[in-house]
Amino acid sequence: MYDNECECEYNHIPFVVKGEVSVALEIKCQCQCAEESDQDKYTRISEIIDEYKDKEGSLIQILHLAQGIYGHIPLELQKFIAQRLEIPLSQISGVVTFYSFFSTQPRGENTIKVCLGTACYVRGGKKILDQLIELLKVQVGDTTADGKFTLEVMRCIGACGLAPAISINDEVYKQVNPDKLQSILKEFGEVKK
Amino acid sequence: MVNLIINNKKISVPEETTILEAAKQNNILIPNLCYLENIHKIGSCRICVVEVEGMRNLQASCMVTVREGMKVYTNSERVKKTRNVLFELMLSDHPKDCLKCERNQKCELQKLGEQIQIKEARFEGQKSQEVMDISSPSIIRDTSKCILCRRCVTVCNEIQGVGALNPQKRGFKTQIGPAMALSLNSVNCAFCGQCTVVCPVGALVEKDATQNVWKALFDKNKRVIVQTAPAIRAALGEEFGYEPGTLVTGKMVSALRQLAFDDVFDTNFTADLTIIEEGNEFLQRVTKALTGEGATLPMITSCSPGWIKFVEHSFPEKLEHLSSCKSPHMMLGALAKSYYAEKLGMNPKDIFVVSIMPCTAKKYEIVRPEMINDGFHNVDAVLTTRELALMIKKAGIDFQALEEDSFDNPLGLSTGAADIFAVTGGVMEAALRTVYEIITGRELPFAKLHITPLVGFEQIKTAEITIKDPKEEFKFLEDFTVKIAVTSGLKGAKYLMDQIVRGESPYHFIEVMGCPGGCISGGGQPRPTTPEIRLKRLQAIYNEDESKAIRKSHENPFVETLYQDYLNEPLGHKSHELLHTHYTKRGKFNELLDE
Ligand code: SF4
Ligand code: SF4
Ligand code: SF4
Ligand code: FES
């Protein structure tokens, strides 16, 4: 009947890969089998590598696109890219760990960024960061064990008048203080003590 | 030529010379740290700053080339101040535990301190994260001492083509190391140790074996046997104030006796033995190939454990090209615990074999599971040339005052062919001195027995030798042209292997040594190894060869005796058990590949 049938044992609802077919788009199977498999992601990444391989300075570009597909760049994916590009793994990891926009761990559902521009810093931004590190039990750049939050820092976002500021998923929260922080986090679900 | 003025001194130097080099040529010393002549120039430390008239900023003299009419000041107040601050900043993130540091008295950072002479260290800053990586059997990384000069990165990536080390992270958190904080033992490091030779400080050093050796020497129940690789005698002297290229064979043997080793044997002896085994293996392969039985060619030498590890990681499908011969010191270890143990009437468990090697990869080689016979490791400890020097010093031996002494038999006598195992091209030449004579009954037709195209430091050297008028049993080799190639350094090895993979290798026999120049500039040799020093060591080795009465391995009388009394014949049953080995397929990322 359909070309693509979900293999889950509950509801065999047709699903769509990469928008090629436009049937029953709305009714997605709850099992999420429809999500692209790792293997498919690797296939796509390897196509990108073939395309960019011989272009100069392509490594960053490839890593960027790979992160777009995979979400992050773990060791295994770095090895895959190293093998395909025939360059040392240590060089790939050197680039991945150099730029803060690459992540080696899966990103959380929500990204919290704490502004550490001068104004925010002097008006308590550092304290907010310390509090977050303690509350979420993560270091800067890492993701909480439950996958809910990724903690990052950023330079001035232009909210100096209302410092200290943080942003969550690109929404800015101004004049944050420890109490306010607790309630903001609650919006995103319970924070474990 | 370019004319310029440095510190009011008029000088003229060739174009494209850097200010640093120009100054040096004119006996003006500009303190520097990260720069390494001919190898590494990235201007990262900025210690070499100078003032150039008309330029606002101070310049890193190792990076800037001279221009006509340039006026340079290497010692102005501004230069001195800047240099001091840079040095003090460096020290603020350095452990400064020189007294218990491996590099004490031989450290370039210390030497720099002597030149710069700061009176106080004003900054006490945050220390970067320390990683002490003791995972590998060969090399220890201590990032707390690293000054981020990146010499090791250049050597590992550009010269060796391995790329186990690269800068990770950024800014204050930068660390030089394998990917994703992996340990050196869990990546494709060849353990060649070339990085330990260029590291200016104690951040990359060999794993200490002296403790174990002292312990064995103090153990009354152990018979401690020592052997020395061919390259040691041409370099050990440098640690005791001799000019590079001074042969110290006799004094070295005396020193080992004073250290109370029970037998002082020579790895050269088993280098001769290697030639008999490997030469016959080559002849066997060629015979099979020509008589239609089929055999894998080119055959590649297997004496260099760094090369072996490299090829296992990078070309796991091509391991059948490797000669099955163990490296000479492993052969000696295996014989010491069998043949010699029987002669002594001793249990091999009471024998402790120490190898003095120019190499850090040999430390790894001895723990390979393939290197065990009857439950005993063939060799129990490997000391680098540098470690031996430390032991001699620690024992209070006045090296220069030592008498000359000679090696013990039956595992100590060697021919000139064994000496040249220490230099690139030497194993090949030694093998052909014997193989050619087996086939034709005549000497190898080269002046002084040296295959001239194989002598020297070019990355890839090749030669062809056509067989004329062979002995009756080798008639099928009439007019056969043996094509050979020699390379040293792993990048050259990769080139020759890629040829094999593409099915385009024209060669029958290839010699590979893992370190550029061969063992004379191995990862365990005295620092520094400059091109001049390397050349002097090479000359010393050829002198040693030419000074020997016997210069062909098959004429070594003790090797003949060994076959008569014990091994019976080359490639025989006993040989296979003791002297030959097999290899392990590893992946690029150090994963074990299935058969
Ligand atoms: S590396 Fe040099 S300066 Fe640093 S502790 Fe060792 S000897 Fe001292
Ligand atoms: S031992 Fe050789 S392969 Fe390993 S890190 Fe050092 S230079 Fe690279
Ligand atoms: S480990 Fe040694 S050679 Fe490598 S960057 Fe650090 S100081 Fe330089
Ligand atoms: S020696 Fe010139 S920058 Fe380091």
Side-chain angles (χ1 to χ4, degrees), chain B residues 145-153 176 195 198-201 203-204:
Chain B
K145 288 177 185 156
C146 175
I147 55 154
L148 301 177
C149 70
R150 291 158 207 226
R151 288 181 183 178
C152 57
V153 173
I176 309 297
C195 54
V198 296
C199 181
V201 290
L204 285 166

Side-chain angles (χ1 to χ4, degrees), chain B residues 139 152 155-156 160 162 164-165 184 188-196:
Chain B
I139 288 162
C152 57
V155 167
C156 187
Q160 293 298 62
V162 175
L165 301 175
L184 210 51
N188 63 335
C189 169
F191 299 145
C192 69
Q194 285 299 307
C195 54
T196 71

Side-chain angles (χ1 to χ4, degrees), chain B residues 2-14 17-31 48-53 61-62 64-76 79 83:
Chain B
V2 177
N3 301 299
L4 69 159
I5 298 176
I6 302 186
N7 300 347
N8 298 322
K9 185 177 176 188
K10 282 190 186 151
I11 62 172
S12 96
V13 293
T17 311
T18 59
I19 298 177
L20 183 75
E21 281 302 318
K24 191 172 153 202
Q25 287 165 19
N26 288 277
N27 304 319
I28 299 168
L29 189 79
I30 302 175
C48 65
V49 286
V50 294
E51 201 164 345
V52 178
E53 212 169 273
S61 61
C62 70
V64 180
T65 48
V66 293
R67 268 180 293 104
E68 186 64 31
M70 210 178 209
K71 279 190 185 151
V72 179
Y73 302 94
T74 71
N75 264 321
S76 69
V79 166
R83 208 149 58 199

Side-chain angles (χ1 to χ4, degrees), chain A residues 78 83 90 93-94 97-98, chain B residues 163 166 168-170 179-180 589:
Chain A
Q78 291 180 33
Q83 190 107 36
S90 64
S93 118
T97 56
F98 186 89
Chain B
N166 260 306
Q168 310 294 322
K169 306 201 184 150
R170 73 188 293 174
M180 300 293 285
F589 310 115

Side-chain angles (χ1 to χ4, degrees), chain B residues 294-357:
Chain B
T296 307
L297 289 173
M299 184 177 99
I300 314 177
T301 59
S302 56
C303 320
S304 168
W307 146 243
I308 296 299
K309 187 148 188 284
F310 174 80
V311 74
E312 287 180 333
H313 283 300
S314 308
F315 300 93
E317 299 310 321
K318 294 287 161 201
L319 300 181
E320 74 276 19
H321 286 272
L322 295 172
S323 158
S324 63
C325 287
K326 284 183 185 172
S327 74
H329 86 117
M330 301 303 321
M331 288 195 184
L332 196 137
L335 288 171
K337 293 188 183 184
S338 54
Y339 170 65
Y340 189 58
E342 277 175 34
K343 263 186 191 289
L344 294 172
M346 276 185 83
N347 186 329
K349 84 169 175 22
D350 297 323
I351 294 179
F352 191 90
V353 178
V354 179
S355 305
I356 316 289
M357 296 284 126

Side-chain angles (χ1 to χ4, degrees), chain A residues 139-155:
Chain A
Q139 290 302 313
V140 174
D142 291 349
T143 300
T144 52
D146 60 5
K148 207 149 220 153
F149 297 105
T150 299
L151 180 61
E152 289 181 351
V153 295
M154 58 187 166
R155 297 292 149 216

Side-chain angles (χ1 to χ4, degrees), chain B residues 20 31-36 42-49 60-63:
Chain B
L20 183 75
N32 60 81
L33 187 57
C34 64
Y35 172 73
L36 194 59
I42 60 161
S44 66
C45 76
R46 318 234 34 113
I47 287 288
C48 65
V49 286
S61 61
C62 70
M63 298 296 287

